[in-house]
Amino acid sequence: MLEAIRRATSFLRQKQVLHKLGVLISITVIAVACYVLYHMLRGIDANEVIDAIKGTEPRRIALAALFVAAGYFTLTFYDWFAVHAIGQHHIPYRINALAAFTSYSIGHNVGASVFTGGAVRYRIYSAWGLNAIDVAKICFLAGLTFWLGNAAVLGLGIAYHPEAAASIDQLPAWLNRVAAFGIIIALVGYVAWVWAQPRSVGRGPWTVTLPGGPLTLLQIAIGIVDLGFCALAMYMLVPDEPDIGFIVVAVIFVSATLLGFASHSPGGLGVFDAAMLVGLWQMDREDLLAGMLLFRVLYYIGPFVISVILLTLREIIIGARSKRLRHLAPAADPEPRHEAPVYVRERGDTGA
């Protein structure tokens, strides 16, 4: 069965069916989001939104910022895990943290995070001897951690509260619960599959050995903690009334985030917002929109600015260090440049 899946995937890739399908899905998601936003935001009073932002308690904003920071801290372990999984143990955690934080924050804002985040990672990891294939493997394993965490959160959350997803997908609660149990079963099946024996994907130098059972559980735990912190940050910023509970907000938040990723729009702009407005229809739109704008500042804009500053400083430091080394190299020992050729000629003259 696995071989049949591989052949089918190879055929679809050759015909570029998967690429065309992905583009079609992105366009469809964005178009639907724009339509929904147009109707949801029609009649919104901008002054009320501004007043709601000003009226948000500083304590709630501080807690949301703390949870965002904790979420980004957890993100650093995506790269730490992936780098160790491919056997590159010589890279220190601080480099993993820098690569993860900057690649995700820039990828979230610029869009097409697979390419933008991968480029940032390559710039950082190539200085430590990693090549493009190594970085591609890191991106794959980090992405796998993200999707495993999403599957766990959505599966458990929707199984517990299927009505939360029903507000977005408009499906019956029982069907959402069935789908949730399907996600959980697939997740358990994957864990059992990698636990039974070593598994790998890809061919030739692109082959990636998948983490075994215990490490996969660690992957899932990292993903759950990351999404949990992000959902808590959003929960701090949504209106208090009506109190629909953290689980509902978390399920809707994760669903909206995934739709944003599917659209490939920068920061899920428009798509994430439309899904949140539809999912949390019980809340006052102006207050909810104010909370979403604050969340964007804390989760997207703030880390993006910090990342740009960090990468700029890094490039300045590396450039200054390289310039200093170029100036010091000739002055350090000018003679060896001429000794080796002279020595060779002398040996040649004597017939040695």
Side-chain angles (χ1 to χ4, degrees):
M1 184 179 68
L2 290 175
E3 185 59 31
I5 293 174
R6 291 193 187 98
R7 286 199 299 268
T9 303
S10 176
F11 173 79
L12 293 175
R13 188 182 296 114
Q14 290 175 1
K15 299 297 182 180
Q16 294 189 336
V17 174
L18 295 178
H19 173 71
K20 295 176 182 177
L21 183 62
V23 173
L24 179 61
I25 291 174
S26 298
I27 294 174
T28 303
V29 170
I30 293 174
V32 172
C34 290
Y35 175 81
V36 171
L37 272 181
Y38 172 76
H39 287 277
M40 294 292 294
L41 297 181
R42 190 171 53 183
I44 286 285
D45 190 334
N47 292 325
E48 289 188 21
V49 175
I50 295 173
D51 291 339
I53 293 175
K54 293 179 179 178
T56 305
E57 298 178 29
R59 178 184 64 86
R60 298 176 71 89
I61 297 177
L63 284 173
L66 181 63
F67 288 134
V68 167
Y72 272 102
F73 172 70
T74 309
L75 271 179
T76 64
F77 291 100
Y78 282 42
D79 274 49
W80 174 85
F81 179 92
V83 167
H84 281 73
I86 66 171
Q88 301 292 342
H89 302 285
H90 68 285
I91 299 178
Y93 167 75
R94 70 178 188 278
I95 302 301
N96 303 149
L98 176 65
F101 175 73
T102 54
S103 64
Y104 278 111
S105 57
I106 290 177
H108 286 163
N109 284 274
V110 177
S113 57
V114 173
F115 302 104
T116 53
V120 173
R121 279 191 173 102
Y122 180 76
R123 179 60 182 166
I124 294 173
Y125 285 128
S126 60
W128 288 81
L130 272 62
N131 56 33
I133 296 177
D134 294 326
V135 174
K137 292 178 180 180
I138 292 171
C139 292
F140 171 79
L141 290 171
L144 182 61
T145 302
F146 171 78
W147 287 107
L148 289 173
N150 274 276
V153 170
L154 281 180
L156 296 173
I158 297 175
Y160 176 76
H161 205 306
E163 293 81 5
S167 61
I168 294 181
D169 59 26
Q170 303 299 309
L171 296 176
W174 67 267
L175 187 55
N176 279 322
R177 179 163 278 161
V178 170
F181 280 119
I183 293 174
I184 294 173
I185 291 172
L187 193 60
V188 172
Y190 174 80
V191 174
W193 181 63
V194 296
W195 205 309
Q197 64 183 57
R199 308 287 185 177
S200 60
V201 293
R203 292 182 178 179
W206 297 93
T207 301
V208 179
T209 301
L210 297 174
L215 290 178
T216 300
L217 293 179
L218 177 60
Q219 276 185 291
I220 294 173
I222 293 173
I224 290 175
V225 172
D226 167 40
L227 292 170
F229 279 130
C230 295
L232 278 170
M234 188 78 254
Y235 184 66
M236 287 293 103
L237 298 173
V238 298
D240 290 329
E241 298 296 336
D243 185 8
I244 60 177
F246 170 70
I247 298 297
V248 175
V249 174
V251 170
I252 293 172
F253 171 80
V254 174
S255 301
T257 301
L258 291 180
L259 286 173
F261 278 126
S263 70
H264 296 291
S265 64
L269 189 62
V271 179
F272 171 84
D273 311 277
M276 290 291 292
L277 288 168
V278 171
L280 299 175
W281 57 270
Q282 310 95 324
M283 297 180 175
D284 181 82
R285 287 184 300 172
E286 283 80 4
D287 291 342
L288 177 57
L289 191 58
M292 290 161 54
L293 289 173
L294 287 171
F295 180 80
R296 282 199 172 277
V297 171
L298 295 175
Y299 190 79
Y300 290 99
I301 298 177
F304 177 74
V305 172
I306 295 173
S307 294
V308 171
I309 293 173
L310 286 176
L311 290 177
T312 303
L313 290 175
R314 178 180 179 273
E315 293 301 320
I316 292 174
I317 293 172
I318 291 176
R321 186 179 300 165
S322 300
K323 185 177 181 180
R324 185 170 65 252
L325 290 176
R326 284 197 300 269
H327 282 299
L328 291 176
D333 192 3
E335 296 303 321
R337 292 176 178 266
H338 305 286
E339 283 181 357
V342 171
Y343 180 62
V344 170
R345 286 197 298 270
E346 289 175 352
R347 293 182 59 136
D349 293 340
T350 56

